[in-house]
Each structure stands twice: as C-alpha cells, then as structure tokens.
Amino acid sequence: MLNAVGREIPEELGMPYKGEMLQPSGRAAGHLIKAARPHEKKVLSGIKEAIIKSGLKDGMTISFHHHLREGDYLVNMVLAAIDELGIRDLKLAPSSLNNCHEPVIEYIKKGVITSIETSGLRGSLAREVSGGILKKPVIIRSHGGRPRAIESGELHIDVAFIGAPCADTYGNLNGVDGPSAFGAMGYAMVDARHADCVIAITDNLKKYPIQPISIPATLVDYVVCVDSIGNPEGIMSGATRFTRSPRELLIAELASRVIINSGVFEDGFSMQMGSGGASLAVIRYLSNAMKKRNIKASYGLGGITGPYVQLLEEGLVERFLDVQCFDLRAVESLKNDGNHIEIDASYYANPFNKGCAVNNLDIVILSALEIDTDFNVNVITGSDGTIMGASGGHSDAAYGARLTIITTPLMRGRLPIVVDRVQTVITPGSSIDVVVTERGIAVNPKNKGMEERLKDAGLPICSIEELKHRAEKITGKPDPVQFGDRIVGIVEYRDGSIIDVIRNVID
C-alpha cells in the first residue's frame, strides 16, 4: 500500500507512515530485577568471562553505542569473543555503525549476526547490506525512534555492551575522564536502563566511587578492563569537519540570513546546529549577528561541537543539552562547565515521552544527500541507491523545530541534489521549511509568510522546481538506479511507522 509520502510499503511489514504522528499506548518495558550482594565483585577477568556470565545465547539481541564513532574498538572486540564462544544468530542493535566496523561482514557470513537494527551504516558493511548479505532487512531508526522502540519493548536488549572511558570497581561510569574520553553517553544511557544485562568495558578503572557519574552502578552487572576501548580522535571523523570551501561558506552565509530574517531569531530562541562544514560556518555568522542585536539563545541541543562551545563560553547561549560530543573541545566543556548538561537519547528526541527536547526547538540546521520537489529528504542512501549514512536525529529535530533549514550544495560532482524523487525518504517534506543552496533558496509552499519575509530581505528565493531545473541544466538528468525486488532495509519514521523501504541494488 502507498504511505503518506507515496512509497509502496508491503502490508506484512507493518504500519505505513500516515503523515501524522502516531500516539502511544500501553506501559513502558522494563529490565530484569536483580540485586547485588554485599561486597560482591563486579570486575571480571575479560570479555569472554563477562559474556558467559551474562547468559548470552543463540538468538538473543546485543547492543552498543557509537560515541567513539570511527575510533570505536568495542564492537569488533566483543564480536570476536562471541564468535570464539560459538554463539550464533544474534541481532546486532547498536545506535549506529561506521566504517571501522567492516569486520562485522565476516560475522554475518559466519552466522554470528543475522539481523541488524540501527540508525545507520557506512563503508563496506553498508554496501554489503545494500547488496543483501543479511537474511533479514536492516531496520533503520532515528535517534528518537530507537529509545522509543527500546522503552516500548519493541526492541528488547538482552545484553548491552557499554564502552566507558571511566568506570569504578562497582560499575559507575562516565564519558569525560580517561584516555578514551568521548563526552556525553546519551545513547548508552537508554540501553543501560533497559537491557537485561549490562557489561561495562573500560580502559580506565578507578576506585569506587568516581565523580561525575553518567550511568550509575545500579544499572551495571559487570565491569571489564581492557587496554583500550577506542581512539577518541575518531569522534571528529565523518560528518564533523571545518570548511574553507567558498561554496559552503556562501551556503552558510545565506542560511544565516534566512535565520536572521525568519521572524524566529529573537532573544531566548533555541537551536540545533549540525556538524558539517556549512553548519559549523553558520554558527560563526550567527554569533556576529547575536552580538550586534544583543540576542542570546536559551539553549543549544544535539551533538555538540567546538564552535558551538564557543557560543556558550561567550555567553551567547545559556545552556547546552548534549546527547553526543562531536569533538574533544566539546568533551572538555561537558566536563568543566555546569551549563553544559548531559542528556540521554530519549530526553533528546523520543516522540513517546512527556517532554523530549526537540519539541522546544526554534531553529535547526540539517543536511541532505538528496531532496525532492516535495521537500522529502534523504540522508541515508547515495545517488546509486546504496546505504552510506544514517537517519540520526534528522526527522526528530525537523519535526520539533519551528524553523527547519536544509543546507546543501545544488550539485555534488556531476549529480544534482534536488531531484524529482529521492531514493529513500528519511524526513518527510511536511517537516521542512527552507532549502538553502549556493544557487538559490526554496521555501516550502506551506510557509507563504516566510517566503515573503525572505524576499523582502533581498534573499535569492526561487521554487524547488527551479532549483532542480538549474541543477539539471549543468549535470543533466541522471539515469535511474536499477533496484531488485528484495527489500534489504526498512526505514521507520520516528513513531515506528514505515516511511520507506530500501531495495537491493542491481549492478
């Protein structure tokens, strides 16, 4: 059947996206009730011993978190131990997977991993999944959709493996101390609360009790100390980068002018900025405008970067709500600044709670791999239809914000970014307000008042169709991707309904 964004969703896959947020019902799921005995030791000799004590068996679900991004050692380390123990047919449910997790391919071939539920995949693993290496389709959830699924019981975690830059002997954990410090532990917090067994793996074991505590010992079953859980330099790879590109700087300047003239840019506004080059440049332009107008932001949200931290240090933002640090300057800020507040992924973006933070956003800057003439956005599959990114918090922040801006070049290489129909819908066009490119700005027709304000400010406004035409005049119209009949990915909207499916690519 066709869903609300015109995608064909097989009935057997579940509820199709209907265009309006589903409403929750029932009660939250819980974890097993356990008790530690007086003076019981939680520190074990190694990962294998912890896996054995956890009771992990064939067919269960294991989870990880991705705060170390491309510097993560944990997933590969744990799967190697699981393989050696002969455990098979596991569901892998990490918050995200990166290029460094290429060894997962071999564990899929061996039958150790038979299904994956995550926010995104990259590199060789993503290409293999796109080609159909998994027996079951990968399930893609947003950063808000994942805690929704966990807390509702839709995704039950048997054993959570949590990489902890600092842990004490009783299982208190934090992410800001030690050689592998990565900052906020927002994704791991949800897993720790709901998994039947929680194994903390650290390279920095301290006496009890440590301070601060991000995840308390009350949620942790076992602690294992290893040589290293990862390289924190890896958290700056991938999406996080600074730009000197004239094109990206022009996009950032235009996006800043959109914000300044939007009617939303006023004292006490709230914002979420992305980690890409253009988004980081927007922060620089906005800071100058804020100083000129004597405007301060009430809070900044999401993954936090060094340029964002500078706004806090200059008093231009009152507080941060931080689910993930994107660089080491942000880690230091979280450790030392009481106005830099660590939150979990459910608080950040779960639509099925009483107050997720994205609901109070005024402004969010987001990116796109593709955007179509209905303003639907794709951030997970490339122009060739292959998985190469992540849903992340894209649909969550776009839904909650009063003003959602997509910043993107009009073309990448010889490929247009504005198209008739995106390969995969992650965020529906109903959540998008403005698209900013270096060759023009398109306003969603639902926002007539916004369009008039931006025209009056002298911004280069055109229709989304005109942006598409401008791109195709230079690049031509690309040949359509050839897909097979097999569904290799199911994309859930943040409420659990199905917004799209990903089919296997035919070479």
Side-chain angles (χ1 to χ4, degrees):
M1 66 183 76
L2 289 179
N3 67 9
V5 290
R7 299 302 168 117
E8 184 68 38
I9 307 298
E11 290 187 25
E12 65 272 16
L13 294 184
M15 174 77 72
Y17 170 67
K18 293 187 174 182
E20 295 184 0
M21 189 71 63
L22 298 176
Q23 294 303 306
S25 60
R27 292 184 176 275
H31 55 72
L32 293 176
I33 298 174
K34 300 179 183 179
R37 297 176 181 176
H39 305 290
E40 184 176 2
K41 303 298 183 185
K42 290 188 179 181
V43 179
L44 303 180
S45 62
I47 293 174
K48 281 187 183 178
E49 183 186 5
I51 293 169
I52 293 168
K53 282 186 172 290
S54 75
L56 184 66
K57 294 181 173 60
D58 292 0
M60 287 186 169
T61 298
I62 59 174
S63 77
F64 299 84
H65 60 99
H66 73 286
H67 292 98
L68 277 161
R69 295 166 63 82
E70 291 296 352
D72 176 66
Y73 298 164
L74 208 65
V75 171
N76 300 336
M77 191 187 309
V78 171
L79 289 182
I82 289 172
D83 180 29
E84 290 175 14
L85 290 169
I87 301 170
R88 297 293 184 266
D89 190 28
L90 297 178
K91 178 186 292 182
L92 178 62
S95 50
S96 198
L97 291 164
N98 292 292
N99 290 283
C100 62
H101 299 126
E102 182 178 351
V104 172
I105 296 169
E106 290 305 311
Y107 298 119
I108 293 172
K109 291 178 179 178
K110 288 182 176 182
V112 178
I113 301 300
T114 53
S115 65
I116 296 176
E117 299 186 13
T118 185
S119 175
L121 308 103
R122 295 172 176 82
S124 300
L125 174 60
R127 290 190 290 274
E128 291 285 352
V129 170
S130 298
I133 191 174
L134 282 169
K135 294 178 182 178
K136 304 172 186 175
V138 60
I139 295 177
I140 302 295
R141 295 191 179 96
S142 71
H143 285 333
R146 184 175 185 269
R148 174 203 54 77
I150 293 171
E151 293 178 5
S152 69
E154 180 183 327
L155 172 58
H156 175 75
I157 299 169
D158 294 293
V159 184
F161 295 90
I162 295 179
C166 184
D168 66 33
T169 53
Y170 207 41
N172 294 304
L173 315 177
N174 76 48
V176 296
D177 292 315
S180 302
F182 53 66
M185 301 186 76
Y187 303 114
M189 290 174 175
V190 179
D191 298 42
R193 282 200 303 269
H194 291 274
D196 286 345
C197 182
V198 176
I199 298 172
I201 302 175
T202 187
D203 51 13
N204 183 35
L205 187 62
K206 298 293 186 181
K207 292 186 296 183
Y208 172 83
I210 58 168
Q211 196 281 327
I213 295 171
S214 296
I215 295 174
T218 54
L219 300 176
V220 176
D221 292 89
Y222 305 112
V223 179
V224 176
C225 191
V226 297
D227 290 337
S228 179
I229 62 169
N231 177 4
E233 295 290 339
I235 70 175
M236 291 189 66
S237 59
T240 305
R241 60 187 173 82
F242 298 90
T243 186
R244 295 179 180 173
S245 161
R247 180 172 69 172
E248 288 191 333
L249 290 172
L250 175 57
I251 293 169
E253 181 186 0
L254 291 172
S256 302
R257 290 175 62 193
V258 168
I259 292 171
I260 291 165
N261 293 284
S262 66
V264 181
F265 187 62
E266 54 192 14
D267 197 45
F269 77 99
S270 59
M271 61 180 172
Q272 176 174 322
M273 299 291 158
S275 59
S279 294
L280 295 180
V282 169
I283 294 173
R284 296 172 188 166
Y285 287 113
L286 276 188
S287 66
N288 291 332
M290 292 168 76
K291 290 172 185 175
K292 284 182 181 179
R293 300 185 180 209
N294 196 27
I295 287 175
K296 294 183 180 180
S298 57
Y299 74 95
L301 181 64
I304 304 301
T305 61
Y308 217 2
V309 165
Q310 187 166 340
L311 296 186
L312 183 68
E313 292 173 347
E314 292 179 355
L316 296 174
V317 179
E318 292 181 13
R319 289 181 179 85
F320 282 151
L321 299 178
D322 186 353
V323 71
Q324 178 182 16
C325 294
F326 276 124
D327 59 36
L328 300 182
R329 184 176 178 187
V331 175
E332 282 300 309
S333 174
L334 178 63
K335 180 177 180 179
N336 297 314
D337 193 329
N339 287 318
H340 191 154
I341 303 163
E342 184 177 25
I343 62 171
D344 66 53
S346 185
Y347 186 134
Y348 168 52
N350 178 359
F352 288 3
N353 68 32
K354 299 175 184 179
C356 66
V358 296
N359 286 347
N360 280 324
L361 275 175
D362 290 313
I363 300 164
V364 64
I365 300 282
L366 298 168
S367 60
L369 291 174
E370 294 177 316
I371 184 163
D372 66 27
T373 51
D374 291 321
F375 287 82
N376 298 312
V377 179
N378 168 26
V379 290
I380 195 163
T381 50
S383 58
D384 62 353
T386 301
I387 299 170
M388 61 173 293
S391 175
H394 202 284
S395 63
D396 303 307
Y399 180 86
R402 291 169 62 193
L403 173 62
T404 297
I405 300 172
I406 301 296
T407 56
T408 180
L410 192 59
M411 300 159 286
R412 289 191 182 95
R414 296 292 299 175
L415 292 170
I417 301 305
V418 181
V419 296
D420 286 317
R421 176 183 167 95
V422 294
Q423 301 289 357
T424 308
V425 179
I426 291 294
T427 299
S430 58
S431 293
I432 307 302
D433 296 297
V434 182
V435 176
V436 178
T437 77
E438 78 280 17
R439 293 174 182 261
I441 298 169
V443 179
N444 193 318
K446 68 176 184 171
N447 298 321
K448 287 295 182 186
M450 177 72 69
E451 182 172 341
E452 292 306 313
R453 279 195 296 272
L454 299 184
K455 281 183 178 178
D456 291 344
L459 284 158
I461 304 300
C462 63
S463 69
I464 192 77
E465 290 81 9
E466 179 59 25
L467 283 181
K468 171 180 168 290
H469 178 68
R470 291 175 185 178
E472 289 179 353
K473 278 182 68 176
I474 299 170
T475 66
K477 197 162 186 174
D479 294 331
V481 177
Q482 299 300 310
F483 292 100
D485 295 328
R486 184 177 174 190
I487 293 174
V488 297
I490 298 170
V491 181
E492 290 188 2
Y493 188 55
R494 58 197 302 257
D495 62 2
S497 61
I498 300 173
I499 198 166
D500 211 342
V501 295
I502 303 170
R503 289 181 167 82
N504 66 304
V505 178
I506 299 175
D507 294 329

